[in-house]
Amino acid sequence: MRRETTQGTPFLLPQNVNFTRFIPTSPDLSTTTYGVPRAAGQTSNLFLQPQKNTVLHSHGRPPWYGEDGVRICDAFVIGVAGGSASGKTHVARQIVKSLGSIPTVIILSQDSFYKFHTPEELALAHANKLDFDHPDAIDMPMFAACLADLKACKQSNIPVYSFSEHQRLNETKYLYGATVIIAEGIMSLHDPELRALYDLKVFVQCDSDLMLARRIRRDVEERGRTVSGILDQYLRFVKPSYDNFVQPTSSHADIIVPGHNNAVAIELICTHIRRQLQERSNRFRQKMAIPHLYLSNQFGSPRPDYTPEELNLTVLPQTLQVQGIFTILRSKGTLRQDFVFFVDRLATLLVEHSLQHLPYAPHKVVTPVGVDVKGLKLDAKYVCGVAILRSGGALERGFRRAINDVPVGSLLIQSDSQTAEPLCLHVQLPKCIRFRHMAEKAYVFLMDAQIGTGATAFMSIRILLDHGVRQDHIIFVTFLVARGGGITVLRHAFPDVRIVCGAVDDVMKEGWMENYISDFNPEGVGRKVWVMEPGMGQIGDRYYL
């Protein structure tokens, strides 16, 4: 029997964390992932009642790709089946809660995939005479297609079903970024195509009397139904469906979990998941930071003295004006208001210079004096910007000055305080990227303050590619690039991405940062860092703080 659900709502961030100024409020944007930093040992209430069909985010999503930019692992998918009121949702939520500080989890509900109903079927549904417990009531091909996309680390737009209207709505729910996916529903193990996608298959076994008792209490208290109506529906549809379709799928399960007193079984499942995630982890930021020391064999003897032409960089012409701006921005004595002013000027110049990478088509206009003039017009169907927060937000004002009628999204990527690997904490992308058929035609200006180790740029580009954006449609705009840093690896992995920068610095040096306290490192644990020289310092801090 289906369960009435609502769309997941965004989690509230802790009071001491403020992302407000970094999150655009355009209606063309959709927030799908929320990073929730917290101190070591601090527990979170977010997993007590996780919503279905929502990305549940803990400490961030680590890299899911290798040095060559290719995906190295799929999301870990768990199928949870069982009878109506057997405790499937409870088991799924307990798994999420027991996993604790893991990357990203989605509880994907079968209930979203009920088929579109005809007027005749709607009449039967409102009269409680339509069988929602038969496998034919579920759009299994769409369920499998959405799950396959999420498993392959792509985005998916799942249908939205209204239980009050008994109908699929003309809207979808955008999901992306899961490391663990829990697909739950009474028919989750019924379809062979679905079963082929699961890494772990779970069946929740519960006594029929207990399931009926739970169902009566739930429907009376939560749905305002009568006991006689519940029993009639149970005997007509629910019990025959369980006997004929649901219970037989237990033979496909890897683990059968009791519907109550199941803490030991859940802990065994979580131990297995943690081991699988550990085996799939990948760390290579140190190799990217100084590639000529660590990646010589794999990348054909990288060296720290590549020219901009060899790196295929589009460098802003070094006019006297540009040199003067950089002199002001590099100086540690520059006041904040002057720093912000000249950053905005430089960002505007960079974005204007980047517009040469957009396609243009011949276009004829008539001047105010009646003369025909042949010119050019923009020939891109979709154009948008994506700022990598926080320092990438410093380019947003310049971007809007140069292109004032396109949406701007954001990515929040921070370094792990222990491993220094990048963690994706927040994804908020424009509509033209969220839908794959639009993303394939979109040109995206990806903005960050600098490319040093290249780890953040690497992850950001990979996110856009996961959505279907073409490499040659990505225009990366940045103030500085370190020729001896990760740009070599970035160019090897994504040769067709256009990179536009204001200047090229020479040196990337390893260092150690002590007592740097932030929301993501509240205890100030020391860690390795890589510093660009001469550089511009912490651009995000200088711009915002």
Side-chain angles (χ1 to χ4, degrees):
M1 182 62 186
R2 56 186 182 155
R3 290 173 302 282
E4 298 176 3
T5 61
T6 59
Q7 286 295 299
T9 55
F11 297 128
L12 295 177
L13 295 174
Q15 293 182 354
N16 63 334
V17 181
N18 182 10
F19 291 157
T20 304
R21 63 181 172 184
F22 306 135
I23 302 177
T25 57
S26 168
D28 194 40
L29 300 177
S30 173
T31 302
T32 62
T33 305
Y34 283 84
V36 184
R38 62 178 187 266
Q42 179 181 357
T43 60
S44 170
N45 293 325
L46 298 180
F47 292 135
L48 295 181
Q49 292 296 328
Q51 298 288 334
K52 300 175 185 177
N53 304 329
T54 300
V55 179
L56 310 173
H57 217 258
S58 179
H59 76 289
R61 183 188 184 196
W64 58 98
Y65 44 81
E67 294 92 332
D68 57 359
V70 178
R71 188 180 82 249
I72 59 174
C73 63
D74 293 333
F76 189 84
V77 183
I78 308 166
V80 181
S84 175
S86 62
K88 299 181 298 300
T89 302
H90 175 75
V91 168
R93 288 173 172 169
Q94 289 301 115
I95 290 174
V96 174
K97 184 179 178 181
S98 298
L99 283 173
S101 184
I102 39 80
T104 46
V105 182
I106 288 177
I107 299 179
L108 186 64
S109 176
Q110 166 199 281
D111 296 347
S112 297
F113 295 90
Y114 282 107
K115 293 179 178 178
F116 187 87
H117 297 136
T118 64
E120 293 78 13
E121 291 172 333
L122 283 176
L124 291 173
H126 285 285
N128 293 323
K129 295 182 179 179
L130 186 64
D131 188 359
F132 288 99
D133 295 273
H134 194 279
D136 291 342
I138 306 296
D139 191 340
M140 293 294 185
M142 177 176 281
F143 193 2
C146 291
L147 186 58
D149 284 340
L150 292 172
K151 181 181 175 72
C153 299
K154 300 177 181 179
Q155 91 280 31
S156 184
N157 293 278
I158 67 171
V160 176
Y161 187 85
S162 171
F163 290 92
S164 60
E165 300 178 21
H166 298 289
Q167 187 61 285
R168 181 184 292 180
L169 304 181
N170 293 322
E171 59 183 87
T172 56
K173 173 77 173 182
Y174 163 73
L175 295 175
Y176 171 73
T179 302
V180 177
I181 304 168
I182 303 175
E184 62 93 15
I186 59 174
M187 300 293 174
S188 293
L189 299 183
H190 182 270
D191 186 70
E193 190 174 355
L194 279 173
R195 293 199 299 269
L197 295 170
Y198 299 140
D199 297 291
L200 181 65
K201 298 181 285 293
V202 177
F203 189 89
V204 181
Q205 184 73 55
C206 190
D207 181 76
S208 297
D209 293 339
L210 181 56
M211 288 191 290
L212 177 57
R214 288 174 174 174
R215 182 182 180 85
I216 291 173
R217 184 172 63 180
R218 180 194 65 190
D219 288 1
V220 169
E221 293 179 354
E222 300 178 12
R223 305 179 184 180
R225 297 177 182 173
T226 64
V227 174
S228 60
I230 296 170
L231 292 175
D232 178 66
Q233 189 178 41
Y234 180 82
L235 295 174
R236 181 184 300 178
F237 298 127
V238 179
K239 187 63 166 64
S241 173
Y242 179 78
D243 293 337
N244 296 325
F245 304 113
V246 179
Q247 202 282 330
T249 64
S250 63
S251 61
H252 302 294
D254 300 309
I255 300 176
I256 295 180
V257 176
H260 64 289
N261 297 329
N262 47 27
V264 174
I266 289 173
E267 183 57 35
L268 290 173
I269 293 173
C270 293
T271 300
H272 176 71
I273 295 173
R274 292 190 195 97
R275 184 169 60 249
Q276 291 295 314
L277 294 181
Q278 181 63 33
E279 292 175 357
R280 300 180 183 196
S281 63
N282 186 32
R283 298 180 181 179
F284 59 93
R285 183 168 191 166
Q286 178 170 303
K287 299 177 183 178
M288 286 188 64
I290 311 179
H292 66 281
L293 297 180
Y294 297 105
L295 297 174
S296 298
N297 293 331
Q298 184 175 353
F299 290 93
S301 299
R303 62 183 198 275
D305 59 346
Y306 281 109
T307 65
E309 292 74 22
E310 289 176 311
L311 294 172
N312 193 21
L313 301 177
T314 302
V315 183
L316 190 67
Q318 298 299 295
T319 63
L320 294 178
Q321 174 192 207
V322 171
Q323 294 180 48
I325 291 174
F326 267 109
T327 300
I328 295 171
L329 295 178
R330 290 185 190 275
S331 172
K332 69 177 183 179
T334 299
L335 298 177
R336 179 180 176 273
Q337 59 265 32
D338 294 330
F339 186 85
V340 171
F341 175 81
F342 285 103
V343 160
D344 291 342
R345 276 191 63 187
L346 182 59
T348 304
L349 293 173
L350 273 171
V351 176
E352 289 176 346
H353 194 63
S354 304
L355 294 177
Q356 64 180 290
H357 293 299
L358 293 178
Y360 293 85
H363 184 61
K364 185 167 64 174
V365 298
V366 180
T367 70
V369 296
V371 179
D372 292 342
V373 177
K374 293 182 179 178
L376 296 173
K377 68 174 182 179
L378 186 63
D379 192 30
K381 190 168 185 180
Y382 307 108
V383 178
C384 68
V386 176
I388 303 172
L389 304 179
R390 178 174 54 181
S391 60
L395 288 104
E396 185 174 339
R397 189 177 298 174
F399 178 79
R400 292 188 183 277
R401 286 174 177 172
I403 315 175
N404 65 357
D405 58 349
V406 299
V408 179
S410 61
L411 300 172
L412 178 59
I413 299 175
Q414 296 285 338
S415 298
D416 189 294
S417 60
Q418 297 180 348
T419 67
E421 293 295 325
L423 296 174
C424 180
L425 294 163
H426 166 91
V427 176
Q428 185 170 3
L429 297 175
K431 180 180 178 181
C432 62
I433 300 179
R434 299 198 308 268
F435 292 91
R436 185 165 295 271
H437 69 282
M438 300 172 68
E440 294 170 349
K441 303 174 184 178
Y443 283 81
V444 183
F445 286 82
L446 191 56
M447 297 172 281
D448 199 7
Q450 62 186 27
I451 298 179
T453 66
T456 299
F458 210 100
M459 178 173 283
S460 303
I461 293 171
R462 185 64 259 174
I463 289 172
L464 295 181
L465 296 178
D466 288 345
H467 284 75
V469 180
R470 291 172 45 177
Q471 269 196 47
D472 59 347
H473 285 195
I474 300 174
I475 305 168
F476 200 108
V477 184
T478 184
F479 296 127
L480 296 173
V481 172
R483 78 174 83 234
I487 186 64
T488 307
V489 184
L490 194 69
R491 268 283 164 239
H492 182 274
F494 310 117
D496 296 328
V497 172
R498 320 290 178 87
I499 299 178
V500 182
C501 63
V504 179
D505 282 359
D506 294 325
V507 180
M508 280 295 294
K509 294 181 64 176
E510 289 187 1
W512 188 263
M513 180 179 291
E514 289 282 2
N515 302 321
Y516 181 74
I517 298 176
S518 69
D519 294 321
F520 301 93
N521 186 24
E523 296 183 352
V525 178
R527 64 180 178 87
K528 181 181 288 188
V529 295
W530 292 269
V531 180
M532 184 187 301
E533 294 183 354
M536 289 166 51
Q538 295 290 337
I539 298 174
D541 288 352
R542 297 181 71 189
Y543 189 87
Y544 287 111
L545 302 180

